Amino acid sequence: MPVYNAQQYVLDALQCIFAQTFTDWQCVIVDDCSTDNSYQVVTDFIKNDARFTLLKSPTNIKASGARNLGLEHATGQYIAFLDADDIWLPDRLQCQYDYMEGRPTVAVSYGAYMNTTSDINHITGTVIPPKSLSVYGYMANTFINLCTAMINREVAGEVRFDTTTLREDCGLWISILSRGHTAKRFSQTPLVYYRHHSHQSSTNKIKMAHHTLRLYMTQPYVNKVIAFVLYWGYAFNAVKKRLFAQ
């Protein structure tokens, strides 16, 4: 879990991890040179629970670099991601772990989620993704929300975020699915609250769209004409998700 100036939200995130019904987990937290009280909030909360590991980056390495640092210290077969401003419901890990254990050839699973404002109780919509996604299917809609995903590292292969783009999560899924994997939806019941607020790196939609186009057009295993068509599918579906989320 990357943390950068998240003192307003990070305690909620920590509490939702602690409250998971699945208890055999390791949580690696990376403080990315926060200038607020985030580091102290995390330190105070985790001091009596050895399942938490807190790392402090000596320089600001952004979310992608912080996630890569966390991955280097993660020891489990399954990897799940949580941002410091989002929340899992208590049975999220157990439900997804059971799904993955029952399907040992699945590299990536993902689920539905609820969009909220900075106030977690103000739900603005629910996104229920398709049952499965190939690499082209994913690029046409980018339906995999990082905080709903779980990766089986023994099946997926290398898991690493691209630190040169703001669409590091998108790059990760394209990288994994380009190896011939199909991602699967483990549940259509929303088990994640996904906050939208002004401090997110994804708030500038024009900038994010530009990074997405550049990412698509530089994929070595995707024809550029197909990539361009898929980009416009992504753009259309991004608007539709915002306007017509259930």
Side-chain angles (χ1 to χ4, degrees):
M1 183 172 73
V3 176
Y4 177 71
N5 289 354
Q7 66 177 18
Q8 181 178 354
Y9 306 113
V10 69
L11 185 59
D12 289 343
L14 294 170
Q15 288 173 334
C16 87
I17 297 170
F18 184 79
Q20 291 297 302
T21 56
F22 180 87
T23 59
D24 186 18
W25 47 259
Q26 171 202 24
C27 177
V28 182
I29 305 160
V30 180
D31 182 85
D32 192 24
C33 291
S34 293
T35 57
D36 66 0
N37 202 39
S38 295
Y39 185 82
Q40 191 60 52
V41 171
V42 175
T43 300
D44 291 343
F45 185 88
I46 72 171
K47 60 185 177 183
N48 295 319
D49 194 329
R51 295 174 298 177
F52 288 100
T53 299
L54 175 58
L55 308 174
K56 190 172 180 64
S57 175
T59 60
N60 183 263
I61 53 178
K62 308 299 183 185
S64 54
R67 291 191 182 106
N68 285 339
L69 181 57
L71 285 167
E72 292 171 9
H73 288 80
T75 60
Q77 175 183 350
Y78 298 110
I79 300 294
F81 302 96
L82 181 65
D83 287 337
D85 53 358
D86 296 326
I87 292 178
W88 295 337
L89 293 184
D91 55 349
R92 178 265 159 109
L93 283 183
Q94 186 67 65
C95 290
Q96 201 161 9
Y97 173 80
D98 290 343
Y99 178 91
M100 296 293 280
E101 280 286 283
R103 296 160 181 81
T105 62
V106 172
V108 177
S109 65
Y110 55 90
Y113 58 94
M114 292 169 282
N115 286 316
T116 79
T117 63
S118 57
D119 177 3
I120 208 72
N121 296 309
H122 185 197
I123 298 171
T124 59
T126 298
V127 177
I128 302 176
K131 290 182 178 180
S132 63
L133 289 167
S134 64
V135 63
Y136 286 171
Y138 171 74
M139 291 175 69
N141 59 46
T142 64
F143 258 120
I144 302 177
N145 182 301
L146 185 65
C147 292
T148 75
M150 183 176 285
I151 300 173
N152 184 338
R153 291 207 286 194
E154 295 183 359
V155 177
E158 183 183 26
V159 179
R160 190 164 184 83
F161 290 89
D162 184 351
T163 59
T164 65
T165 176
L166 291 178
R167 294 309 313 269
E168 67 271 8
D169 55 338
C170 186
L172 175 67
W173 305 132
I174 293 173
S175 172
I176 293 175
L177 298 179
S178 292
R179 301 168 196 163
H181 299 298
T182 298
K184 299 289 186 178
R185 186 185 72 197
F186 80 96
S187 173
Q188 64 178 5
T189 301
L191 297 175
V192 173
Y193 290 107
Y194 180 64
R195 273 193 174 109
H196 294 270
H197 56 83
S198 59
H199 301 299
Q200 288 173 306
S201 62
S202 58
T203 299
N204 188 326
K205 299 304 177 185
I206 295 177
K207 188 175 183 180
M208 295 300 288
H210 172 73
H211 277 262
T212 303
L213 178 60
R214 187 170 65 181
L215 177 69
Y216 280 23
M217 298 305 291
T218 56
Q219 292 304 305
Y221 303 110
V222 181
N223 178 279
K224 283 183 170 49
V225 174
I226 294 175
F228 189 70
V229 172
L230 291 171
Y231 170 77
W232 285 108
Y234 144 79
F236 172 78
N237 282 304
V239 173
K240 187 168 71 172
K241 275 190 288 186
R242 280 297 183 122
L243 295 179
F244 304 109
Q246 296 179 358

